[in-house]
């Protein structure tokens, strides 16, 4: 498969955007709302954060990143939206040390009630709702993970791979080894709910 990376998509700019002061005010509001978290813009792109979101100190949210309601982003995560965009939909969580970036052609879109395990890497991929992304797994540009799937710990989903809904993927490179059930998907979604309650306790406790 040909590389999805395009080397000439980033032109040099002559200076900051004309509305830089307003953009910096937006960033300051986010920094006040989430003390200890790192917020930055990329040119005129500033993160957008919904209601009841938890962002742990030390997490970095940069550029064109949209976090929907009830999302949690934990310690040491990096979500960077520069040459494309990142979306994390409602009630999903990005656990400690995970990295979410993107490709020139490919945004990273995380569906609703997704659990992204510690130190996972999501790069220019789409994750269907109700999925579980295992610890230290990697999902590359243009890959699409069907709803209710599990990507096992340490698995590598190569660029452009299409994983059917409710699949268990294991190995390097990752292969579908089993079809999961509606009960399995329900468990993943309940696990996402556990993280909503955990984030609430961090905010309010």
């Amino acid at each position: 498969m040909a590389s999805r990376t395009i080397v000439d998509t980033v032109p040099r700019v002559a200076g900051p955007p004309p509305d830089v002061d307003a953009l910096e005010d937006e960033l300051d509001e986010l920094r006040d709302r989430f003390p200890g978290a790192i917020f930055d813009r990329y040119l005129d792109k500033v993160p957008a954060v919904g209601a009841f979101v938890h962002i742990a100190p030390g997490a970095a949210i940069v550029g064109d990143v949209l976090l929907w309601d009830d999302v949690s982003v934990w310690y040491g995560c990096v979500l960077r939206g520069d040459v494309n965009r990142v979306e994390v939909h409602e009630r999903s969580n990005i656990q400690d040390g995970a990295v979410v970036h993107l490709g020139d052609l490919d945004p990273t879109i995380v569906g609703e009630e997704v659990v992204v395990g510690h130190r996972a890497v999501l790069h220019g991929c789409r994750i269907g709702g109700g999925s579980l992304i295992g610890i230290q797994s990697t999902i590359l540009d243009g890959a699409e993970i069907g709803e209710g799937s599990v990507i096992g710990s340490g698995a590598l989903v190569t660029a452009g791979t299409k994983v059917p809904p409710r699949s268990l993927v294991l190995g390097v490179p990752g292969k579908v080894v089993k079809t999961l059930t509606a009960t399995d998907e329900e468990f993943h979604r309940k696990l996402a709910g556990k993280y909503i309650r955990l984030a609430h306790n961090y905010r309010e406790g």
Side-chain angles (χ1 to χ4, degrees), residues 10-11 13 15-17 19-20 23-24 41-46 63 82:
V10 180
V13 299
D19 55 348
V20 64
L23 296 170
E24 290 296 330
R41 62 181 175 86
Y42 177 69
L43 304 178
D44 62 348
K45 302 294 192 295
V46 172
D82 39 34

Side-chain angles (χ1 to χ4, degrees), residues 124-137:
C125 56
R126 293 177 180 265
I127 311 297
S131 293
L132 172 61
I133 310 303
I135 292 170
Q136 288 192 301
S137 59

